[in-house]
Amino acid sequence: MNAFIILIIALCIFALAYRYYGLFIATRVLELDENRKTPAESFNDMQDYHPTNKYVLFGHHFAAIAGAGPLIGPVLAAQFGYLPGLIWILIGAVVAGAVHDMVVLFASVRFDGKSLSLIAGELIGKRAGLIASLSILFILMLTLAGLSLAVVKALFMSPVNTFTILATIPIALLMGVYLYRFRPGDILGASLIGLVLLIVVILAGPFLGQIPIISSCLTLGETPLRLLIPTYGFIAAALPVWLLLCPRDYLSTFLKIGTIVVLAIGVFIIQPEIHMPAVTEYFDGGGPVIPGSAIPFLFITIACGALSGFHSTIGTGTTPKMISNERDIYFVGYGAMLMEGFVSIMALIAACALIPADYFAINVAPAVYHTLGIVPVQLPELESLIGENLAGRTGGAVSLAVGMAAIFARIPIFEGLLSYWYHFAIMFEAVFVLTAVDTGTRVGRYLLQELLGQVVPKFHDRKWIPGVIISSFIFTFSWGYLLYTGEISTIWPLFGMSNQLLAATGLIIGTTLLIKMGKQKYMWITALPGLTMIPITFYAGYLNILNYLNMHSSQGYLLTGISIILMILLALVLIEAIYNWYDLLLVERKDPRRPTPVVLPQS
């Protein structure tokens, strides 16, 4: 199979889905109203609520939802072959992920920018809302710990990449001050400043990062990185959204989309062959990367690129508070998810273009690799050209970087730059993750303030500085502890399971909203993918628990407890929501002339 064919298929499917299916949902199902006032306009406080240009907001939203998931998930799932992952990404992104993202964003905009848990409380009941709040907090902690582990592995002992990542922070601060203080509304000027400085940092990073004084300060082991990343998350959660979060995410989007576009152009030019079989011998289980079978583990391993509950925390967190026109929900919600699906396709191509023996050599511990009966083919040469030891670098990030670099280095004008492109790809992955970390931490702060506000009402005031700092610290410390003590092999499966359970919950809540809007004939749009994911994900959760118990360690017992608690909490929300459907639809059947009440507040 040639990667060129996969790329063309993906582009056609995503373009048709955006033009027809997404537009159908926006106009016929949700009936987006450009004349309706949005929460950003009604509650503009320049702190959390702030009307934002739709292109800047697209950049923020895409950067926030596109963490390590669309990159790492497809790489890990490549052990099943290229075909299972390809099918799930194409179908899942179109009929599940993008629908989920647009509907939950719409719900939050119509409910004054409230979180998913508060929306659940309004639509289903206060008990369901409280349970959902606790569940989402747990899931966010797991998500941020899992995503941050990918950054730790990528920046470990790499001063060049660490320097480049750190440099994006002052650039973003400069953009924020320029855009909202010096020249308010000058999107073009801020974009040019950010883009030029980003290019300078990317080009100069490999040289500046090798200066002895810089290199000695930024050559960091895993322990310092596991402390510094939560520290960054805390600062990003506490600062005003316009100062760091939004401009940094917008800046990161240039790098993210630009890199993916160049990678796609490279695939068009060199048309690499897919060396991974369509379906491997590990489809039914026993694989060295993911021990379980493709069903159900494919669906929780490839999460963010096809369907992700983490997106609901962004879609009901920062983004709805910045929508300036309700029609932008279509572009931001549905469009950004399809873009993330395309990122996953490119990650899958990069991983599957590696020779399988080399792919497994990178992603499997050396002791396990020796039992597979295979030997590396091109890996020794790649290690020599890149200048780093690549074998046994588990977690997916390194194999993805090698695959991307191999494609870039074969483009005629980029020949002989394999080492440079490898480090660039590692930096690219780290930027992806950190933009999800800062936004996810801020959303976690919102949720924790809502919960603490039930006890101390002052926490409901988002402008109360002590409340912002206290809630930011508690939440950051919680996921930072998991990051400090966990590993990718234990955290990622739990993140995947809980993430997909939250996605199913978001779709079920979205279905309740459609019913209460009088859109019963369209409820299948959200109900079908939501109900499909429930048994798959609970089955994966059950298998995860068995694996954790077999660890016979305190970490295994902790993860077992978290898994059981999450599954029970979300099961309660799902049962209550589905029972609510029955009650609403029964009333409609008894008296068809009685319209279902619309429960959407006016901003």
Side-chain angles (χ1 to χ4, degrees):
M1 169 65 78
N2 192 290
F4 176 80
I5 298 173
I6 294 177
L7 189 60
I8 293 297
I9 291 173
L11 285 172
C12 291
I13 289 177
F14 288 152
L16 291 171
Y18 181 79
R19 173 61 181 83
Y20 293 103
Y21 192 50
L23 187 61
F24 164 74
I25 296 173
T27 56
R28 297 288 298 275
V29 181
L30 302 180
E31 296 183 3
L32 301 180
D33 183 2
E34 63 183 4
N35 296 315
R36 186 185 179 107
K37 210 171 185 182
T38 66
E41 297 172 301
S42 300
F43 309 115
N44 185 3
D45 59 7
M46 292 295 291
Q47 175 74 19
D48 296 315
Y49 290 85
H50 180 65
T52 305
N53 176 277
K54 74 174 185 178
Y55 298 106
V56 175
L57 186 56
F58 179 94
H60 158 74
H61 184 76
F62 171 73
I65 64 173
L71 298 175
I72 304 302
V75 174
L76 299 178
Q79 79 152 32
F80 300 125
Y82 74 83
L83 190 59
L86 176 63
I87 293 173
W88 169 230
I89 293 169
L90 292 178
I91 296 177
V94 170
V95 303
V99 173
H100 166 275
D101 289 13
M102 183 160 63
V103 171
V104 296
L105 178 56
F106 167 79
S108 187
V109 169
R110 286 292 178 97
F111 277 92
D112 296 335
K114 290 180 179 177
S115 66
L116 184 65
S117 56
L118 290 182
I119 295 170
E122 295 276 356
L123 293 174
I124 304 170
K126 290 186 177 180
R127 180 174 56 190
L130 178 60
I131 295 172
S133 292
L134 294 171
S135 304
I136 293 169
L137 273 175
F138 269 111
I139 292 169
L140 268 177
M141 287 189 290
L142 291 169
T143 301
L144 295 174
L147 296 180
S148 298
L149 276 170
V151 181
V152 170
K153 301 296 183 182
L155 299 185
F156 171 64
M157 303 301 288
S158 179
V160 174
N161 295 324
T162 303
F163 169 79
T164 308
I165 293 299
L166 287 176
T168 63
I169 296 175
I171 294 175
L173 290 170
L174 176 62
M175 288 177 63
V177 172
Y178 176 88
L179 187 58
Y180 295 105
R181 287 292 183 263
F182 291 164
R183 295 287 299 274
D186 185 8
I187 303 295
L188 179 60
S191 300
L192 290 174
I193 290 173
L195 185 59
V196 169
L197 291 177
L198 180 63
I199 292 173
V200 170
V201 167
I202 290 172
L203 294 177
F207 304 102
L208 295 175
Q210 292 175 0
I211 296 175
I213 188 171
I214 296 177
S215 178
S216 61
C217 293
L218 298 182
T219 302
L220 303 177
E222 288 198 13
T223 299
L225 288 169
R226 290 177 189 244
L227 295 174
L228 285 174
I229 293 171
T231 301
Y232 166 73
F234 168 78
I235 294 171
L239 288 177
V241 69
W242 60 266
L243 182 58
L244 176 60
L245 185 72
C246 197
R248 189 184 187 282
D249 290 352
Y250 180 56
L251 177 66
S252 300
T253 301
F254 284 118
L255 176 62
K256 292 178 177 183
I257 296 180
T259 301
I260 292 299
V261 169
V262 174
L263 185 61
I265 293 172
V267 171
F268 273 113
I269 294 173
I270 67 176
Q271 300 187 18
E273 287 295 320
I274 298 296
H275 295 291
M276 190 69 71
V279 179
T280 69
E281 61 188 290
Y282 303 119
F283 184 85
D284 293 322
V289 179
I290 303 168
S293 61
I295 300 174
F297 282 99
L298 172 71
F299 299 96
I300 69 169
T301 302
I302 301 180
C304 299
L307 171 66
S308 172
F310 174 70
H311 294 190
S312 69
T313 65
I314 308 302
T316 63
T318 54
T319 304
K321 299 174 179 62
M322 295 187 281
I323 289 278
S324 59
N325 187 315
E326 197 171 272
R327 290 287 297 178
D328 295 346
I329 292 173
Y330 168 47
F331 174 65
V332 174
Y334 201 87
M337 179 58 219
L338 292 185
M339 177 60 72
E340 184 169 2
F342 185 67
V343 170
S344 284
I345 293 292
M346 298 310 302
L348 185 68
I349 288 174
C352 293
L354 293 172
I355 294 174
D358 295 337
Y359 165 85
F360 286 111
I362 298 172
N363 283 291
V364 178
V368 177
Y369 183 74
H370 290 316
T371 67
L372 300 180
I374 53 178
V375 294
V377 179
Q378 296 179 343
L379 190 60
E381 181 185 357
L382 291 171
E383 288 180 329
S384 176
L385 292 172
I386 291 173
E388 289 194 15
N389 180 24
L390 304 174
R393 299 285 293 274
T394 60
V398 171
S399 58
L400 173 60
V402 172
M404 291 175 62
I407 293 175
F408 282 137
R410 290 174 59 189
I411 300 174
I413 62 173
F414 296 148
E415 290 177 345
L417 298 174
L418 184 65
S419 178
Y420 177 85
W421 285 117
Y422 169 78
H423 288 97
F424 174 84
I426 290 289
M427 181 270 295
F428 162 78
E429 295 176 54
V431 167
F432 250 89
V433 179
L434 284 180
T435 49
V437 168
D438 52 28
T439 307
T441 304
R442 192 178 194 90
V443 172
R445 189 257 288 178
Y446 292 161
L447 288 170
L448 190 56
Q449 280 189 266
E450 291 173 359
L451 284 174
L452 293 175
Q454 304 298 319
V455 181
V456 182
K458 188 67 174 173
F459 275 93
H460 283 304
D461 182 2
R462 296 262 171 83
K463 294 182 180 180
W464 187 46
I465 301 300
V468 170
I469 294 175
I470 291 170
S471 54
S472 296
F473 176 79
I474 293 174
F475 182 71
T476 306
F477 178 83
S478 299
W479 69 260
Y481 176 78
L482 289 175
L483 170 64
Y484 193 79
T485 60
E487 288 299 332
I488 194 81
S489 60
T490 56
I491 295 292
W492 195 271
L494 180 52
F495 151 65
M497 181 275 293
S498 58
N499 185 55
Q500 298 305 67
L501 273 182
L502 181 57
T505 303
L507 287 164
I508 298 303
I509 292 172
T511 305
T512 307
L513 174 66
L514 293 181
I515 295 172
K516 290 200 171 187
M517 289 174 61
K519 299 284 186 177
Q520 297 90 316
K521 65 180 180 178
Y522 297 124
M523 63 180 284
W524 57 269
I525 291 172
T526 48
L528 187 59
L531 293 173
T532 300
M533 287 305 299
I534 291 173
I536 293 174
T537 312
F538 270 100
Y539 179 47
Y542 165 73
L543 296 178
N544 272 345
I545 290 172
L546 295 182
N547 290 334
Y548 294 143
L549 289 174
N550 288 333
M551 292 169 60
H552 301 294
S553 65
S554 58
Q555 180 76 359
Y557 296 137
L558 172 63
L559 296 176
T560 297
I562 293 175
S563 299
I564 293 173
I565 291 171
L566 278 174
M567 291 171 72
I568 292 174
L569 289 176
L570 288 176
L572 291 174
V573 176
L574 291 168
I575 290 170
E576 195 156 349
I578 293 172
Y579 178 79
N580 192 265
W581 296 359
Y582 173 79
D583 191 45
L584 289 169
L585 295 174
L586 184 64
V587 170
E588 185 72 14
R589 281 199 301 270
K590 285 182 177 179
D591 186 3
R593 294 169 298 177
R594 179 182 176 184
T596 304
V598 177
V599 291
L600 302 179
Q602 291 286 342
S603 294

